[in-house]
């Protein structure tokens, strides 16, 4: 928790310092234009990739698969979009990293392994590369007598 607080304190200081340095080299108006340009490019990327993730998630849901990857991508799209709208070059770099497919995959893998190892997140029913491997037999048909672990609560209406 302290590292998050430190991050919120240091990030604006670093951003202001970097904006002042870049503004000293190229001038104030070109610096402002560069910040606005990165925000516009980022929003365009966010819009395109968000639409692709939504279509992919819909297709997976229609085929009774859990869109886990698309949900993770959407979380990073939201974070990346917010960072791109924040004025500054460091936040823009991190925002673009969240929107770049290859880099995003590495970041998602790192965070998921970190959370799994720390015990903050547990995954059940996932095998191999996709959720369908845990739900289907070798011939691709749904497994008979599949056990789904869950909790329920009765409400008397």
């Amino acid at each position: 928790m302290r590292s998050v607080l430190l991050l919120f304190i240091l990030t604006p200081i670093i951003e202001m310092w970097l904006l002042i340095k870049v503004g000293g080299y190229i001038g104030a108006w070109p610096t402002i234009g560069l910040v606005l340009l990165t925000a516009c490019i980022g929003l365009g990327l966010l819009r395109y990739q968000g639409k692709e993730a939504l279509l992919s998630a819909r297709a997976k849901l229609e085929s009774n698969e859990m869109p886990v990857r698309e949900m993770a991508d959407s979380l990073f799209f939201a974070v990346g979009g917010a960072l791109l709208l924040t004025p500054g070059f460091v936040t823009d770099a991190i925002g673009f990293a969240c929107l770049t497919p290859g880099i995003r995959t590495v970041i998602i893998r790192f965070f998921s392994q970190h959370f799994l190892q720390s015990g903050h997140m547990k995954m059940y029913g996932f095998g191999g590369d996709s959720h369908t491997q845990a739900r289907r037999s070798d011939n691709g048909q749904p497994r008979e007598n599949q056990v789904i672990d869950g909790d329920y609560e009765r409400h008397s209406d």
Side-chain angles (χ1 to χ4, degrees):
M1 192 63 174
R2 289 182 186 185
S3 59
V4 173
L5 178 62
L6 187 62
L7 186 68
F8 277 109
I9 292 171
L10 288 179
T11 301
I13 294 170
I14 293 169
E15 290 290 10
M16 285 187 289
W17 177 81
L18 195 55
L19 285 168
I20 291 168
K21 284 291 187 186
V22 170
Y25 286 119
I26 65 173
W29 288 112
T31 303
I32 292 169
L34 193 57
V35 169
L36 290 174
L37 179 67
T38 58
C40 291
I41 292 171
L43 287 176
L45 279 171
L46 178 63
R47 186 175 186 184
Y48 173 75
Q49 290 184 1
K51 187 185 302 182
E52 293 293 319
L54 182 62
L55 292 174
S56 178
R58 177 184 285 171
K60 281 193 174 183
L61 286 172
E62 287 174 355
S63 65
N64 292 326
E65 296 179 39
M66 189 70 158
V68 176
R69 173 59 194 231
E70 289 75 11
M71 290 189 301
D73 283 344
S74 297
L75 175 67
F76 276 82
F77 293 156
V79 170
L83 290 173
L84 284 167
L85 288 176
T86 305
F89 297 116
V90 175
T91 54
D92 285 347
I94 297 169
F96 278 120
C98 289
L99 295 179
T100 305
I103 298 171
R104 184 176 61 245
T105 301
V106 171
I107 295 170
I108 290 172
R109 189 174 295 132
F110 170 78
F111 278 115
S112 63
Q113 288 174 353
H114 172 73
F115 282 118
L116 284 171
Q117 289 174 354
S118 68
H120 293 282
M121 179 175 77
K122 294 182 176 145
M123 296 177 72
Y124 299 104
F126 291 89
D129 292 334
S130 70
H131 183 60
T132 56
Q133 291 178 352
R135 300 182 325 112
R136 300 194 182 269
S137 63
D138 293 334
N139 63 5
Q141 298 299 320
R143 291 184 181 165
E144 297 296 324
N145 301 324
Q146 181 179 1
V147 176
I148 300 174
D149 186 21
D151 296 328
Y152 73 95
E153 199 175 304
R154 270 183 210 227
H155 296 278
S156 57
D157 292 304

